[in-house]
Amino acid sequence: NLRELDRTLSTLIASRRGGPATDFAIHVVRQCIVLEPLAQSGDMALTLDVLAKVAAQGRGGGAGDALAQLVEQAKRSTPVVGKTETVSEPAVGKAEGVSEPLGKSETIASPAGSKESAGKENTSLHEQVSYILDEWSKISDLPNRDKLAAALLVTLQQSGFLKSDETAEQFFKSLVEIAVAHCLKDQNQQSSPASVLSFEAVDAFIKLVAFLINRSANESDAVNPAARGVRRASQLFRVLGVVVNIMQKTSKENPSAFNPRPFFRMFIGWYMEILESDVGDEIIMIPSLAAITDALLALQPLRVPAFAFSWLELVSHRCFMPKLLLATGQNGWPHFQKLLVALLQFLEPYLRNAELTESIRLMYKGTLRMLLVLLHDFPEFLCKYHFQLCDVIPSSCIQMRNLMLSAFPRNMRLPDPFTPNLKVDLLPEISESPRIVVDFNTSLMGLQGVVNTYLSMRQPANFMKEVLPQKLLLSEPEEVQLRGTKWNVPLINALVLYIGMNAIHKGQAIPMEMFQQLVCEMDAEGRYLVLNAIVNQLRYPNSHTHYFSCVLLYLFGEIQMEVVKEQITRVLLERLIVNRPHPWGLLITFIELIKNPRYSFWSFSFTRRAPEIERLFQNVARSCITSEDEKTLVS
């Protein structure tokens, strides 16, 4: 309910209850009203008024000007369905050069008046903008550019294009249209999709935007670089908002004709011209990185599929990804986590249904390569966000899941899991809790209270047999068809982790009983998902790995149903037969299972149901034990 959210946010901000409410309100306004117009400014009127007061009173610190600018942008914004601006195809085809004005068929929002006066005004605007871009392209690469650029900047200011947010947005919108039209003018005459394009106008536009942003400084910036960073990010955000809106509209109106190359060139150019110029000052750079992240989230593959390959390259680019992940205090990690989840959400239905077209294969291969870079250079990131990432990886993508779960902190030296008589419970790291990010209030979907009650009192009595299984089922048939399962997999993952963490912190016996009842009461599919959720916690040496390894071994040893033992073996084995890497906790659990006579692993019929199955078990077992223990294998 937007109205209720508006009232709550405005009250929290006005009562000075800390910064999080203000930060959240700014993010909602920027993301849902300005960048990707999903709501009207009237829906958040109270919040916008309070934010305007915050900016006026200076409570926003050095970001006061940027906050006031954001509020003004939001008040002028309207939902996409109500916008009148169009990027017409005739305009893209008719433009012949940077200095040549676009035709009248391209419309830009103008004051109310006759069609004739509006057309003249649009033509005049395009002529002026074309002239400025043409003049800029002549001087942008000259060695003595600064003096000439300063003179052009004076001309630009005198023309009134930058005097207000509204005129500035019209100016940048015209620049984008002119640059793209010039780039694609010969596309229709060339049959090859990989035709050679002219990026002269696009490069001039990139450098003009970078010049305007880099010149945005005032006297206070020397003592307050954070204010400069926010101001620069606000200007970059305004330009990116224009580019995003044009990309979303053109890709939606004519997906087959959408060409992502000029827009990809823009982002890469700004990476070089803006992010690289800030490399020495992280305080200035982080707000710009956040602005680019918001733009990339608005252009994610689920929303603009035609931009998917360019998007993946932009997300993993050397000028973007390392800067986000190396930011002080891990301030860039939440931004990159959103981008990675967006990528995996796009791939999930194709991977789950094994619909691997050539394009999807390439996207999957690119994703794996990016994850390998993360595993090698930023393993702590994968350690921290493994829970959210596992939620969006289908159970059939075993190697991708293994890759993420194999991450361990760089300052840790993993014990060799093949060491004879390894005492896992005596390792110093085994008592330490891992650093993870999980919001149980959200992920448990209202179950937290009733689960806590059962963990403390085993009440209600029918909770495990009747209440919980029903809660774990999806209620809508459409959702069941969309996800390919009747079970709520993210809820199962959250429930398993929550129960285990309660057991670790409180030392209760009830959690183990709950795991046992879950495995026994659920059908084969539900049991498989629960076991997968348990094995997802078998990672590097820590308290979670130790506890969930014990849970799995306890279930194998105590539950007498052979079908349960077979499913436990399946979940472990299918993660071991794929190519490396294999999580450390997975290896030590399987080694314990096949070596410890207590579990009588080789006595069960499923280990020799067919000759090829028997050979598979023996091959995996031999790779997991030393030569001294080979005699334990039953031939």
Side-chain angles (χ1 to χ4, degrees):
N1 189 321
L2 284 177
R3 301 290 183 185
E4 184 176 347
L5 175 65
D6 185 31
R7 286 195 298 272
T8 303
L9 279 178
S10 61
T11 302
L12 289 174
I13 297 170
S15 62
R16 299 172 179 264
R17 290 180 59 179
T22 303
D23 294 341
F24 176 70
I26 292 173
H27 176 75
V28 170
V29 170
R30 178 188 293 131
Q31 190 72 26
C32 300
I33 298 180
V34 178
L35 183 61
E36 187 178 358
L38 301 176
Q40 301 183 36
S41 57
D43 295 330
M44 302 290 289
L46 297 175
T47 301
L48 290 174
D49 289 342
V50 176
L51 288 177
K53 293 177 182 177
V54 170
Q57 295 171 3
R59 283 161 55 189
D65 293 340
L67 180 56
Q69 190 178 61
L70 177 65
V71 171
E72 287 302 314
Q73 282 182 278
K75 288 182 177 179
R76 292 197 314 275
S77 297
T78 55
V80 172
V81 294
K83 289 194 174 185
T84 59
E85 299 100 326
T86 63
V87 181
S88 58
E89 291 177 27
V92 173
K94 290 180 181 178
E96 295 296 334
V98 180
S99 60
E100 185 176 346
L102 294 182
K104 294 181 182 180
S105 60
E106 291 183 319
T107 61
I108 294 182
S110 58
S114 66
K115 293 183 179 179
E116 183 179 354
S117 63
K120 290 181 180 179
E121 183 175 343
N122 291 338
T123 301
S124 174
L125 175 63
H126 277 83
E127 288 176 348
Q128 294 177 62
V129 173
S130 294
Y131 170 78
I132 290 172
L133 187 60
D134 188 32
E135 291 299 309
W136 170 260
S137 67
K138 295 175 183 177
I139 67 172
S140 60
D141 292 323
L142 295 178
N144 60 340
R145 185 189 76 173
D146 290 347
K147 288 185 179 180
L148 297 172
L152 185 62
L153 181 60
V154 172
T155 303
L156 188 60
Q157 291 171 338
Q158 290 175 347
S159 67
F161 286 134
L162 303 179
K163 68 179 180 181
S164 68
D165 291 341
E166 184 175 0
T167 57
E169 286 181 15
Q170 289 186 348
F171 172 65
F172 288 121
K173 183 174 183 292
S174 296
L175 280 172
V176 174
E177 291 174 346
I178 293 168
V180 173
H182 180 270
C183 181
L184 302 178
K185 65 178 180 179
D186 296 325
Q187 183 185 26
N188 294 332
Q189 287 134 19
Q190 303 183 36
S191 57
S192 173
S195 54
V196 177
L197 302 181
S198 171
F199 292 107
E200 180 186 358
V202 173
D203 290 343
F205 168 59
I206 291 168
K207 293 177 181 178
L208 178 58
V209 170
F211 173 75
L212 294 174
I213 291 176
N214 290 330
R215 287 291 294 266
S216 62
N218 58 33
E219 296 178 358
S220 66
D221 287 346
V223 295
N224 191 357
R228 185 187 178 205
V230 173
R231 187 181 301 106
R232 287 162 55 87
S234 177
Q235 295 183 351
L236 177 61
F237 181 81
R238 178 168 57 189
V239 177
L240 290 173
V242 172
V243 174
V244 166
N245 284 333
I246 290 176
M247 291 178 67
Q248 288 176 335
K249 290 181 66 176
T250 52
S251 64
K252 185 177 181 181
E253 291 170 1
N254 196 352
S256 60
F258 176 74
N259 192 326
R261 291 165 67 189
F263 302 105
F264 173 72
R265 180 92 168 195
M266 291 177 191
F267 277 89
I268 290 294
W270 288 324
Y271 280 7
M272 300 298 181
E273 297 285 338
I274 297 175
L275 296 184
E276 287 298 282
S277 67
D278 294 338
V279 71
D281 198 332
E282 185 179 294
I283 296 177
I284 297 176
M285 181 177 60
I286 288 297
S288 297
L289 288 169
I292 293 174
T293 299
D294 287 341
L296 290 174
L297 284 172
L299 296 171
Q300 61 182 276
L302 279 175
R303 296 175 182 173
V304 189
F307 194 62
F309 285 101
S310 299
W311 187 91
L312 178 57
E313 186 166 351
L314 290 172
V315 168
S316 58
H317 198 275
R318 62 180 175 82
C319 294
F320 179 73
M321 184 175 80
K323 288 181 171 60
L324 266 184
L325 296 176
L326 290 173
T328 303
Q330 302 178 354
N331 290 328
W333 287 20
H335 297 295
F336 194 78
Q337 179 259 339
K338 293 176 186 176
L339 293 171
L340 188 53
V341 167
L343 172 61
L344 296 173
Q345 285 175 334
F346 170 72
L347 289 172
E348 192 272 339
Y350 300 101
L351 299 177
R352 171 167 42 86
N353 299 320
E355 297 174 354
L356 298 183
T357 63
E358 188 59 32
S359 298
I360 297 299
R361 285 182 189 276
L362 287 173
M363 282 289 290
Y364 176 70
K365 185 181 293 186
T367 303
L368 279 182
R369 288 179 176 177
M370 183 173 69
L371 290 173
L372 282 170
V373 172
L374 292 174
L375 179 64
H376 184 271
D377 294 343
F378 307 101
E380 291 86 358
F381 171 81
L382 294 178
C383 293
K384 187 172 182 178
Y385 291 102
H386 86 286
F387 176 77
Q388 291 91 336
L389 298 176
C390 284
D391 272 351
V392 288
I393 297 179
S395 56
S396 57
C397 290
I398 297 168
Q399 187 176 19
M400 180 182 285
R401 190 184 300 264
N402 270 359
L403 196 152
M404 280 193 286
L405 297 178
S406 297
F408 61 93
R410 282 172 293 182
N411 61 359
M412 175 181 289
R413 185 179 180 87
L414 284 184
D416 184 358
F418 306 114
T419 302
N421 302 317
L422 176 66
K423 302 297 183 183
V424 174
D425 54 335
L426 298 181
L427 296 175
E429 305 91 348
I430 215 68
S431 60
E432 298 178 5
S433 297
R435 294 182 179 180
I436 61 174
V437 175
V438 55
D439 180 8
F440 285 120
N441 289 326
T442 302
S443 55
L444 284 177
M445 305 176 189
L447 271 179
Q448 191 169 3
V450 66
V451 170
N452 286 339
T453 301
Y454 189 85
L455 283 169
S456 58
M457 300 184 296
R458 290 190 176 90
Q459 294 295 328
N462 65 341
F463 178 69
M464 291 303 301
K465 289 193 175 183
E466 299 176 16
V467 178
L468 187 58
Q470 289 301 314
K471 293 287 186 181
L472 297 177
L473 291 171
L474 296 172
S475 56
E476 300 296 331
E478 297 82 6
E479 197 172 7
V480 172
Q481 186 175 4
L482 178 66
R483 297 194 184 185
T485 177
K486 65 181 179 180
W487 297 99
N488 190 331
V489 179
L491 180 56
I492 290 175
N493 291 339
L495 179 67
V496 166
L497 180 59
Y498 186 73
I499 294 173
M501 289 178 65
N502 267 272
I504 294 169
H505 296 311
K506 299 180 181 179
Q508 298 172 314
I510 298 178
M512 195 66 80
E513 299 172 10
M514 293 180 71
F515 285 127
Q516 190 168 354
Q517 290 186 61
L518 271 175
V519 168
C520 292
E521 297 296 333
M522 298 178 80
D523 63 15
E525 182 187 8
R527 184 186 306 123
Y528 175 75
L529 295 172
V530 169
L531 294 174
N532 255 315
I534 293 173
V535 177
N536 284 346
Q537 308 309 319
L538 303 181
R539 303 187 292 146
Y540 62 93
N542 59 63
S543 59
H544 289 191
T545 295
H546 185 226
Y547 176 77
F548 284 102
S549 177
C550 293
V551 168
L552 210 62
L553 294 171
Y554 173 85
L555 294 176
F556 190 95
E558 296 300 322
I559 297 179
Q560 299 306 310
M561 301 163 57
E562 187 165 328
V563 66
V564 174
K565 300 178 189 291
E566 184 174 353
Q567 260 189 313
I568 292 174
T569 305
R570 174 200 167 179
V571 171
L572 292 172
L573 193 65
E574 67 184 5
R575 298 192 185 206
L576 288 168
I577 61 177
V578 298
N579 291 331
R580 291 180 292 180
H582 300 122
W584 180 87
L586 178 72
L587 288 170
I588 62 111
T589 302
F590 188 72
I591 291 171
E592 177 68 14
L593 182 64
I594 63 176
K595 285 179 61 177
N596 194 329
R598 172 187 173 189
Y599 303 110
S600 305
F601 179 80
W602 301 105
S603 66
F604 296 106
S605 61
F606 61 79
T607 63
R608 50 177 57 80
R609 188 155 293 166
E612 56 269 28
I613 296 295
E614 186 175 0
R615 283 195 299 271
L616 174 64
F617 273 114
Q618 292 182 3
N619 289 337
V620 173
R622 286 193 179 97
S623 68
C624 293
I625 63 176
T626 62
S627 57
E628 297 177 0
D629 298 311
E630 283 195 23
K631 58 185 180 181
T632 62
L633 291 176
V634 178
S635 57

